[in-house]
Amino acid sequence: MNRSNTRRLGAITLACSALLASAAAGAGEVEVLHWWTSGGEAKAAAALKLTLQKGGHRWKDFAVAGGGGDSAMTVLKSRVVSGNAPSAAQIKGPSLQEWAREGVLANIDDVAKAEKWDELLPKIVSDGMKYKGNYIAAPVNVHRVNWLWVNPEALKKAGAKLPTTWDEFFAAGDALKKAGIIPLAHGGQNWQDFTTFESVALGIGGAEFYKKALVQLDAATITGPQMTQVLETFKKVKGYTDKNAPGRDWNLATAMVIKGEAGMQLMGDWAKGEFIAAGKTPGTDFVCTPAPGSAKAFTFNVDSFAMFKLKDAANVAAQKELAKEIMAPNFQELFNLYKGSIPVRLGMKMDKFDDCAKASAKDFVDTAKAGALVPSIAHGMAVPSAVEGAIKDVVSQFWNDDKMSVADAQSRIASAAKTK
């Protein structure tokens, strides 16, 4: 090789080295706080990590075990107070606005506008991702909460039909009792009591009543005749559970339905993962149907990542890439196939999803158009956490205390709704 070629090769090598160094310098790091530490959720988090790494960025996992995220929030608060916030944290519902009011969340409108999020999300969901009109979080998925899970073989054995109203539910429950089958699998934990309560409220009162009573916390609605009927029905439901329900985890209740020990369960669509893991097929081995009376409404639970203010430009770029990828079609499909939820992004192809997910996706769109897509109060989507906790406590007290009257429960719920 002559000197000219040697010099040319040397110049090219130096240029390539400079480009690589520049790319490395431009690569950022995202530290992501989440509690997806088991099963399909962990697989989905790993897929998001891989996607980000392909873009040249670094992923720093900040996983805190604990299904409800309480432990994660405790850790997050200490990190933010010390001025060392992560790039993104799994936060949802009104808690997003609570964090935004502290002035610690980043404005990611540039990503949202470039990716047309306003067009890809139902307004009630996109509004929840914003603070003062600006996006501060990226939504990941949608869980439907108002589901009834049914063992069709148990119903057949009892000579009962699939219930679509609460009267039909009680008729089916009576038939199951006579057949020696527990009508309703339930776990006596306050969040499970509250999940049942909100499905009864939606089924008895409809979406408008639900919004007034459990989202707007209207005192006249809470103390009115429809809430009286809701509480009476809710208490009647307890008579169809078994004496061993107190303290039972939700997945153990689901297992009772899978085994045919119980006929039905009121639970969000994360219960489907238990059926699938047991090798059961939707529509054949188990049935997913809206909770009685709630077929034309949809209580949603949306997971999302809040984006925190960062100083390093490369890390900000990586953070924006994370927000973009969360809403990208590939991740929306992959994550929700793993988790049992449905994509929050509208217009997604659902051919890889099962019948329950397809039905949920259709109802998600239809109820959004009809104004019957409502946030789940039991799962942190509707009211501030202090109010949610106060109402949840009253609901569980009423469920467990046979001496508490309906009127007393209504009065206590109205007082809890005023919690600051």
Side-chain angles (χ1 to χ4, degrees), residues 31 47 73 103 112 121 127 138 141 147 180 214 271 291 311 341 369 388 395 408:
E31 184 180 18
M73 290 303 99
L121 296 168
D127 284 350
N141 65 334
W147 278 119
L214 300 179
K311 293 177 181 177
S341 44
K369 289 177 182 174
E388 178 196 328
V395 166
D408 192 14

Side-chain angles (χ1 to χ4, degrees), residues 119 154 178 233 338 388:
E119 297 171 28
K178 286 180 183 177
T233 305
Y338 280 137
E388 178 196 328

Side-chain angles (χ1 to χ4, degrees), residues 172-251:
D174 290 337
L176 286 161
K177 276 185 181 179
K178 286 180 183 177
I181 300 168
I182 297 164
L184 185 70
H186 183 74
Q189 297 168 336
N190 64 1
W191 73 268
Q192 294 191 61
D193 300 339
F194 209 21
T195 297
T196 299
F197 173 77
E198 78 173 20
S199 282
V200 173
L202 190 65
I204 293 291
E208 288 307 311
F209 164 81
Y210 181 98
K211 281 188 268 191
K212 283 184 181 177
L214 300 179
V215 181
Q216 298 162 10
L217 304 174
D218 178 67
T221 307
I222 290 172
T223 56
Q226 272 192 308
M227 184 59 87
T228 301
Q229 189 183 356
V230 167
L231 287 163
E232 288 171 348
T233 305
F234 175 64
K235 198 58 174 277
K236 188 175 179 180
V237 169
K238 193 192 176 189
Y240 292 84
T241 63
D242 68 302
K243 61 180 175 53
N244 295 320
R248 180 187 289 140
D249 287 335
W250 70 268
N251 56 314

Side-chain angles (χ1 to χ4, degrees), residues 149 250 269-278 339-340:
W149 303 90
W250 70 268
D269 56 17
W270 47 90
K272 181 179 66 177
E274 299 297 308
F275 286 96
I276 300 299
K339 200 170 189 289

Side-chain angles (χ1 to χ4, degrees), residues 313-336:
N315 291 348
V316 169
Q319 180 189 60
K320 290 181 186 296
E321 185 67 20
L322 174 69
K324 176 184 172 183
E325 291 299 338
I326 284 171
M327 272 288 288
N330 286 346
F331 177 72
Q332 285 280 309
E333 179 181 88
L334 180 63
F335 178 85
N336 289 289

